[in-house]
Coordinates of all heavy atoms in Angstrom, one line a residue:
G514 N 28.0 57.8 23.5 CA 27.6 57.3 22.1 C 28.1 56.0 21.7 O 28.1 55.7 20.5
K515 N 28.5 55.2 22.6 CA 29.0 53.8 22.2 C 27.8 52.9 21.8 O 26.8 53.0 22.5 CB 29.9 53.2 23.3 CG 31.2 53.9 23.5 CD 32.0 53.1 24.5 CE 33.4 53.8 24.8 NZ 34.2 53.1 25.8
E516 N 28.0 52.1 20.8 CA 27.0 51.1 20.5 C 27.3 49.9 21.3 O 28.1 49.1 21.1 CB 27.0 50.8 19.0 CG 26.7 51.9 18.1 CD 26.6 51.5 16.6 OE1 26.8 50.3 16.3 OE2 26.4 52.4 15.8
I517 N 26.5 49.8 22.4 CA 26.8 48.8 23.4 C 25.5 48.1 23.8 O 24.4 48.7 23.8 CB 27.4 49.4 24.7 CG1 28.0 48.4 25.6 CG2 26.5 50.4 25.4 CD1 29.3 47.9 25.1
S518 N 25.6 46.8 24.0 CA 24.4 46.0 24.4 C 24.2 46.1 25.9 O 25.2 46.3 26.7 CB 24.6 44.5 24.0 OG 24.7 44.4 22.6
V519 N 23.0 45.8 26.4 CA 22.7 45.7 27.8 C 23.6 44.6 28.4 O 23.7 43.5 27.7 CB 21.2 45.4 28.0 CG1 21.0 45.2 29.5 CG2 20.4 46.6 27.5
P520 N 24.2 44.8 29.5 CA 25.1 43.7 30.1 C 24.3 42.4 30.2 O 23.1 42.4 30.7 CB 25.4 44.2 31.5 CG 25.4 45.7 31.3 CD 24.3 46.0 30.3
D521 N 24.9 41.3 29.9 CA 24.2 40.0 29.9 C 23.9 39.5 31.3 O 24.8 39.7 32.2 CB 25.1 38.9 29.2 CG 25.2 39.1 27.7 OD1 24.3 39.8 27.1 OD2 26.2 38.7 27.1
N522 N 22.8 38.9 31.5 CA 22.4 38.2 32.8 C 22.5 39.1 34.0 O 22.9 38.7 35.1 CB 23.4 37.0 33.0 CG 23.5 36.1 31.8 OD1 22.5 35.7 31.2 ND2 24.7 35.8 31.4
Y523 N 22.2 40.4 33.8 CA 22.4 41.4 34.8 C 21.1 42.1 35.3 O 20.7 42.0 36.4 CB 23.4 42.4 34.3 CG 23.9 43.5 35.2 CD1 24.4 43.2 36.5 CD2 23.7 44.9 34.9 CE1 24.8 44.2 37.3 CE2 24.2 45.9 35.7 CZ 24.7 45.5 37.0 OH 25.1 46.5 37.8
F524 N 20.5 42.8 34.4 CA 19.2 43.5 34.7 C 18.1 42.4 34.6 O 18.0 41.7 33.5 CB 18.9 44.6 33.8 CG 19.9 45.8 33.9 CD1 20.7 46.1 32.8 CD2 19.9 46.6 35.0 CE1 21.6 47.1 32.9 CE2 20.8 47.7 35.1 CZ 21.6 47.9 34.0
P525 N 17.2 42.3 35.5 CA 16.0 41.5 35.4 C 15.2 41.9 34.1 O 15.0 43.1 33.8 CB 15.2 41.8 36.6 CG 16.2 42.2 37.7 CD 17.2 42.9 36.9
E526 N 14.9 40.9 33.3 CA 14.2 41.1 32.0 C 15.0 42.0 31.0 O 14.4 42.5 30.1 CB 12.8 41.7 32.2 CG 11.9 40.9 33.1 CD 10.6 41.5 33.5 OE1 10.4 42.7 33.1 OE2 9.7 40.9 34.1
D527 N 16.3 42.1 31.2 CA 17.2 42.9 30.4 C 16.7 44.4 30.3 O 17.0 45.1 29.3 CB 17.3 42.3 29.0 CG 18.2 41.1 29.0 OD1 19.1 41.0 29.8 OD2 18.1 40.3 28.0
N528 N 16.1 44.8 31.4 CA 15.5 46.2 31.4 C 16.4 47.0 32.3 O 16.5 46.7 33.5 CB 14.1 46.2 31.9 CG 13.5 47.5 31.9 OD1 14.1 48.5 31.8 ND2 12.1 47.6 32.0
S529 N 17.1 48.0 31.8 CA 18.1 48.7 32.6 C 17.4 49.6 33.6 O 18.1 50.2 34.5 CB 18.9 49.6 31.6 OG 18.2 50.5 30.9
D530 N 16.1 49.7 33.6 CA 15.4 50.4 34.7 C 15.2 49.6 35.9 O 14.9 50.1 37.0 CB 14.0 50.9 34.2 CG 14.1 52.0 33.1 OD1 15.0 52.7 33.2 OD2 13.2 52.0 32.3
N531 N 15.5 48.3 35.8 CA 15.3 47.4 37.0 C 16.6 47.3 37.8 O 17.7 47.5 37.2 CB 15.0 45.9 36.5 CG 13.6 45.9 35.9 OD1 12.7 46.6 36.3 ND2 13.4 44.9 35.0
V532 N 16.5 47.0 39.1 CA 17.6 46.9 39.9 C 18.4 45.6 39.6 O 17.8 44.5 39.5 CB 17.2 46.8 41.4 CG1 18.4 46.6 42.3 CG2 16.5 48.1 41.8
P533 N 19.7 45.6 39.3 CA 20.5 44.4 39.0 C 20.4 43.4 40.1 O 20.3 43.7 41.3 CB 21.9 45.0 38.8 CG 21.7 46.4 38.5 CD 20.5 46.9 39.3
T534 N 20.4 42.1 39.7 CA 20.4 41.0 40.6 C 21.9 40.7 41.1 O 22.8 40.6 40.2 CB 19.8 39.8 40.0 OG1 18.5 40.1 39.5 CG2 19.8 38.6 41.0
M535 N 22.1 40.6 42.4 CA 23.4 40.4 42.9 C 23.6 38.8 43.1 O 22.9 38.2 43.8 CB 23.6 41.0 44.3 CG 25.0 40.9 44.9 SD 26.1 42.0 44.1 CE 27.6 41.8 45.1
R536 N 24.6 38.3 42.3 CA 24.7 36.8 42.3 C 26.2 36.4 42.5 O 26.5 35.2 42.3 CB 24.2 36.2 41.0 CG 22.7 36.3 40.9 CD 22.2 35.7 39.6 NE 22.5 36.5 38.4 CZ 22.3 36.0 37.2 NH1 21.9 34.8 37.0 NH2 22.6 36.8 36.2
W537 N 27.1 37.3 42.8 CA 28.5 36.9 42.9 C 29.1 37.3 44.2 O 30.3 37.1 44.4 CB 29.2 37.6 41.8 CG 29.2 39.1 41.8 CD1 30.2 39.9 42.4 CD2 28.2 40.0 41.3 NE1 29.8 41.3 42.3 CE2 28.6 41.3 41.6 CE3 27.0 39.8 40.6 CZ2 27.9 42.4 41.2 CZ3 26.3 40.9 40.2 CH2 26.7 42.2 40.5
N538 N 28.3 37.7 45.2 CA 28.9 38.2 46.4 C 29.6 37.1 47.2 O 30.7 37.3 47.8 CB 27.8 38.9 47.3 CG 28.4 39.7 48.4 OD1 29.3 40.5 48.2 ND2 27.9 39.6 49.6
L539 N 29.0 35.9 47.3 CA 29.6 34.8 48.0 C 30.9 34.4 47.4 O 31.9 34.2 48.1 CB 28.7 33.6 48.1 CG 29.2 32.4 48.9 CD1 29.6 32.8 50.3 CD2 28.1 31.3 48.9
A540 N 31.0 34.3 46.1 CA 32.2 33.9 45.4 C 33.3 34.9 45.6 O 34.4 34.6 45.8 CB 31.9 33.7 43.9
A541 N 32.9 36.2 45.6 CA 33.9 37.3 45.8 C 34.5 37.2 47.2 O 35.7 37.3 47.4 CB 33.2 38.6 45.6
A542 N 33.6 37.1 48.2 CA 34.1 37.0 49.6 C 35.0 35.8 49.8 O 36.1 35.9 50.4 CB 32.9 36.9 50.5
T543 N 34.7 34.7 49.2 CA 35.5 33.5 49.3 C 36.8 33.7 48.6 O 37.9 33.3 49.2 CB 34.7 32.3 48.7 OG1 33.5 32.1 49.3 CG2 35.5 31.0 48.9
F544 N 36.8 34.2 47.5 CA 38.1 34.4 46.7 C 39.1 35.3 47.4 O 40.2 35.0 47.6 CB 37.8 34.9 45.3 CG 39.0 35.1 44.5 CD1 39.8 34.0 44.0 CD2 39.5 36.4 44.1 CE1 41.0 34.2 43.3 CE2 40.6 36.6 43.4 CZ 41.4 35.5 43.0
F545 N 38.6 36.5 47.8 CA 39.5 37.4 48.5 C 40.0 36.9 49.8 O 41.2 37.1 50.2 CB 38.8 38.8 48.7 CG 38.9 39.6 47.4 CD1 37.8 39.6 46.5 CD2 39.9 40.5 47.2 CE1 37.9 40.4 45.4 CE2 40.0 41.2 46.0 CZ 39.0 41.2 45.1
S546 N 39.1 36.2 50.6 CA 39.6 35.6 51.8 C 40.6 34.5 51.6 O 41.6 34.4 52.3 CB 38.3 35.0 52.6 OG 37.5 36.0 53.0
N547 N 40.4 33.7 50.5 CA 41.4 32.6 50.2 C 42.7 33.2 49.8 O 43.8 32.7 50.2 CB 40.8 31.8 49.1 CG 39.8 30.8 49.5 OD1 39.5 30.7 50.7 ND2 39.1 30.1 48.5
W548 N 42.7 34.3 49.0 CA 44.0 34.9 48.7 C 44.7 35.4 49.9 O 45.9 35.2 50.1 CB 43.7 36.1 47.7 CG 45.0 36.8 47.3 CD1 46.1 36.3 46.6 CD2 45.4 38.2 47.7 NE1 47.1 37.3 46.6 CE2 46.7 38.4 47.2 CE3 44.7 39.2 48.4 CZ2 47.3 39.6 47.3 CZ3 45.3 40.4 48.5 CH2 46.6 40.6 48.0
I549 N 44.0 36.2 50.7 CA 44.7 36.7 51.9 C 45.2 35.6 52.8 O 46.3 35.6 53.4 CB 43.7 37.6 52.7 CG1 43.6 39.0 52.0 CG2 44.1 37.8 54.2 CD1 44.8 39.8 52.1
N550 N 44.4 34.6 53.0 CA 44.7 33.5 54.0 C 45.8 32.6 53.4 O 46.8 32.3 54.1 CB 43.5 32.7 54.3 CG 43.8 31.6 55.4 OD1 44.7 31.8 56.2 ND2 43.0 30.5 55.4

């Protein structure tokens, strides 16, 4: 029952029935590899 907005820049057309677009995987892989290395 929280009054919450649809996550920004996440669902195509801001429609929660759509599959979210993945746009951070490369940054994530780079960051964790950099920390470990």
Side-chain angles (χ1 to χ4, degrees):
K515 292 184 179 180
E516 293 185 6
I517 194 78
S518 300
V519 174
D521 291 339
N522 312 312
Y523 183 55
F524 296 110
E526 301 175 353
D527 285 337
N528 183 345
S529 59
D530 291 330
N531 291 332
V532 176
T534 302
M535 185 74 174
R536 291 184 286 172
W537 62 93
N538 196 46
L539 181 58
T543 303
F544 178 70
F545 278 92
S546 292
N547 285 352
W548 175 66
I549 283 289
N550 184 28

